[in-house]
Amino acid sequence: MAGTTLTQPTARTATTLADGRQLIYYDSGAAVPRDTVDRRPLDPRPGGPGDPGGPGDPVGPAGPEVRLDPATGAWVTVAAHRQARTYRPPAEECPLCPSRDGRLSEIPAADYQVAVFENRFPSLAGPPAPLAGAADGLWTSGPGAGRCEVVCFTADHDASFADLTPERARLVLDAWTDRTAELSALPGVQQVYCFENRGAEIGVTLAHPHGQIYAFPFTTPRTARMVARAAEHRAATGRNLFDDLLAAERAHGERVVLAGRHWTAFVPFAARWPYEVHLFPHRRVPDLTALDPAQRDELPGLYLELLRRFDRLFGTPEAPGRTPYISAWHQAPAGRRDELALHLELFTIRRTADKLKYLAGVESGMDAFVNDVTPEDAARRLREVAS
């Protein structure tokens, strides 16, 4: 794989969907022979090859736009065209299942291991372009350029990431790494974000086990705040914020949930969510492409154990639940690779078996979180449900 350092044989087979979008199959070992022809009668992707509207119109006349909030400095993406995206289809019409028995989906093949393709309804699309300010200097906006991809973890519609074998989870890691390398190299991309939303309670509209990757034309607000805090810490102490944070949690120990030779997972001191875990490599790296072989080998098993513990939080070892969660990989943005540390933030909005943590007035209105579970109790509970 160009641009990555992978330690297991992984085959990468790229093809093109009927409307011009890219699709990539990832296989452990040698490439698997498969029919990759998309036979759907799709119109050319707006702005893509064969579109008479041309590349200046990436998703139609009301394409995505990014606007800078002059009061907070945070970028907001406006993507009104996504109102028409697929919404909770029945299982027999799932667009992420393989194409079988005459039913054509986003995946032309009859089976696959891991598949990645450009989102048909992207929040960001088109080649990045400079963001221009308005004449009065108050408003800054630009085209919502970038790339949005869908990562299908398995062909099994009824599975979840936690059901994968360590070998298949490693293949997903290889796909994330490959896509991070390729998308980071695109002109104008400032940050690559790999993530998974699971559960209708989170707002997932497709039940098939999958995640997404965004290539942003800006640094996201949460990352920008981390970068600023890391700079303040460096100025005050001469040390890296994330190195100190990880060392302190490992030494304290009360909030540590799971530790290996190369990774440690802990509930953060000021957790925002009822059950929230941060997973850091012991050797700081800026993104997935910089992991060494030992870190890469250990990660799948630890990550699967964390996901399975989340499922056991509100179920039993014999009958684990399907806890809704968000799994977010934080990677260093362009030009900030020396300070920001790669890490995973995994959290659920469920606070008890039958209660959800809704973002109420203080959270949604003021971004001031109120947590119903102490981080120490959350860590203790996550240790109790270990395999």
Side-chain angles (χ1 to χ4, degrees), residues 1 6-13 25-31 113 167 170-175 178:
M1 293 183 182
L6 304 179
T7 57
Q8 70 169 15
T10 299
R12 178 188 190 274
T13 305
Y25 295 101
Y26 292 89
D27 296 295
S28 297
Q113 295 181 21
E167 293 74 21
R170 173 58 186 272
L171 185 60
V172 176
L173 171 60
D174 284 354
D178 181 62

Side-chain angles (χ1 to χ4, degrees), residues 31-334:
V32 175
R34 51 171 65 93
D35 183 359
T36 60
V37 177
D38 184 3
R39 293 178 171 80
R40 293 174 296 172
L42 300 180
D43 293 331
R45 173 186 52 176
D51 172 32
D57 186 20
V59 290
E65 180 185 18
V66 293
R67 299 183 180 187
L68 185 66
D69 184 338
T72 66
W75 288 100
V76 175
T77 301
V78 181
H81 65 281
R82 298 190 75 234
Q83 287 280 31
R85 67 187 183 274
T86 306
Y87 184 79
R88 296 186 181 178
E92 63 271 16
E93 297 177 14
C94 175
L96 307 185
C97 286
S99 294
R100 295 172 179 158
D101 303 323
R103 184 189 57 78
L104 303 179
S105 73
E106 291 279 66
I107 314 294
D111 197 12
Y112 64 86
Q113 295 181 21
V114 174
V116 179
F117 62 88
E118 291 182 74
N119 199 321
R120 191 176 178 184
F121 304 97
S123 299
L124 301 164
L131 301 177
D136 61 6
L138 184 62
W139 296 330
T140 300
S141 64
R147 183 153 160 145
C148 296
E149 298 183 342
V150 177
V151 184
C152 297
F153 304 138
T154 172
D156 185 350
H157 181 86
D158 297 318
S160 72
F161 201 117
D163 297 323
L164 300 181
T165 64
E167 293 74 21
R168 183 60 58 84
R170 173 58 186 272
L171 185 60
V172 176
L173 171 60
D174 284 354
W176 284 335
T177 304
D178 181 62
R179 300 314 303 145
T180 294
E182 188 164 309
L183 296 176
S184 296
L186 294 178
V189 169
Q190 296 299 305
Q191 185 176 352
V192 176
Y193 174 43
C194 306
F195 65 101
E196 179 191 2
N197 302 330
R198 188 180 81 167
E201 301 93 331
I202 292 291
V204 172
T205 57
L206 295 176
H208 195 104
H210 73 287
Q212 299 182 63
I213 304 175
Y214 275 36
F216 287 102
F218 54 81
T219 300
T220 58
R222 182 166 172 79
T223 301
R225 291 197 295 270
M226 289 184 189
V227 168
R229 289 290 293 168
E232 293 171 4
H233 189 81
R234 175 69 71 180
T237 68
R239 299 189 302 271
N240 178 267
L241 170 63
F242 300 98
D243 289 347
D244 284 359
L245 173 62
L246 177 60
E249 290 291 356
R250 283 169 56 81
H252 183 264
E254 187 177 6
R255 288 179 295 274
V256 172
V257 171
L258 181 64
R261 294 184 61 189
H262 305 285
W263 296 80
T264 291
F266 59 88
V267 177
F269 174 73
R272 299 168 298 158
W273 301 96
Y275 292 90
E276 176 179 349
V277 173
H278 293 188
L279 177 63
F280 278 81
H282 296 170
R283 181 184 67 86
R284 173 167 48 92
V285 297
D287 60 24
L288 291 165
T289 70
L291 292 173
D292 63 32
Q295 292 170 320
R296 198 174 295 278
D297 288 342
E298 186 178 66
L299 176 59
L302 292 181
Y303 184 45
L304 288 171
E305 172 64 14
L306 283 177
L307 294 181
R308 290 163 185 169
R309 290 190 192 188
F310 265 60
D311 280 349
R312 288 192 289 266
L313 277 173
F314 308 109
T316 66
E318 297 75 21
R322 286 290 180 91
T323 299
Y325 65 73
I326 290 176
S327 178
W329 280 105
H330 291 260
Q331 306 196 82

Side-chain angles (χ1 to χ4, degrees), residues 326-347:
I326 290 176
S327 178
W329 280 105
H330 291 260
Q331 306 196 82
R336 303 284 184 164
R337 294 176 63 82
D338 292 339
E339 289 293 333
L340 196 76
L342 168 76
H343 65 282
L344 178 81
E345 296 188 5
L346 172 68
F347 59 89

